[in-house]
Amino acid sequence: MYPAAELVTACLFAAAGLRFGTTPELFPAVVLISLLIIVAVTDLHFMLIPNRILIFFLPLLAAGRLISPLDSWYAGLLGASAGFLLLALIAAITRGGIGGGDIKLFAVIGFVLGVKMLAAAFFFSILIGALYGAAAALTGRHAKRQPIPFAPAIAAGSILAYLYGDSIISFYIKMALG
């Protein structure tokens, strides 16, 4: 598992380098990727996203946003609020179908991505999680009512949105408009 995580991390760092080059945005990208890899592995092993990890990375991500700010000074705060409230609402509706760690993680992701890319990250995360859940159920690798760690899907969806969200959204709009 750990060599695979190291290989995936190296590939994602390279993808971030290709996407952002030597711009200031590379710093928050590498920090966010590091956070997401750690929480994905932790959630897979322990079904837990420790607050300690989120608290450790939050000042680094805040520094990243000072170095490379979003559109406005409050965009990160709106993204964090939207990420927290969206998953908290889903947790309330599903009566605990989403854990508190996922809610806090999505707030951190919203702080880095802002609202627009947070929406894309949410969509991609749900899609990836649903595909994984369906495949696991169809192959018998997952029992009914057994919880599935959602952080790996959140990580994959968030990285996809962060690195390629603008391109995917533009492609979708072009296809939809003809």
Side-chain angles (χ1 to χ4, degrees):
M1 169 77 133
Y2 294 108
E6 296 294 335
L7 180 62
V8 168
T9 303
C11 291
L12 291 173
F13 281 3
L18 290 172
R19 169 68 176 85
F20 299 115
T22 57
T23 66
E25 191 63 26
L26 184 60
F27 177 73
V30 168
V31 173
L32 182 63
I33 289 167
S34 300
L35 167 65
L36 293 173
I37 293 295
I38 291 168
V39 297
V41 170
T42 303
D43 202 26
L44 280 170
H45 279 288
F46 304 110
M47 293 287 296
L48 180 70
I49 300 172
N51 289 335
R52 228 179 257 169
I53 294 171
L54 297 174
I55 291 168
F56 174 82
F57 277 92
L58 193 54
L60 296 172
L61 292 167
R65 277 295 157 239
L66 287 174
I67 294 167
S68 179
L70 293 171
D71 298 338
S72 63
W73 67 268
Y74 56 85
L77 297 175
L78 285 177
S81 299
F84 181 85
L85 291 173
L86 178 63
L87 261 64
L89 178 64
I90 291 170
I93 291 169
T94 62
R95 293 182 174 84
I98 299 238
D102 296 324
I103 295 168
K104 291 176 265 186
L105 174 61
F106 227 70
V108 172
I109 292 166
F111 177 75
V112 177
L113 300 184
V115 175
K116 177 183 164 189
M117 280 302 117
L118 178 73
F122 178 73
F123 174 77
F124 296 145
S125 299
I126 295 294
L127 182 63
I128 291 166
L131 290 173
Y132 171 76
L138 288 174
T139 59
R141 297 184 73 205
H142 193 77
K144 285 185 181 182
R145 301 285 181 205
Q146 180 184 1
I148 296 174
F150 190 41
I154 292 173
S158 298
I159 292 168
L160 182 63
Y162 190 34
L163 297 179
Y164 307 109
D166 285 328
S167 299
I168 293 169
I169 291 169
S170 295
F171 175 76
Y172 178 76
I173 290 171
K174 285 180 187 174
M175 294 301 293
L177 295 177

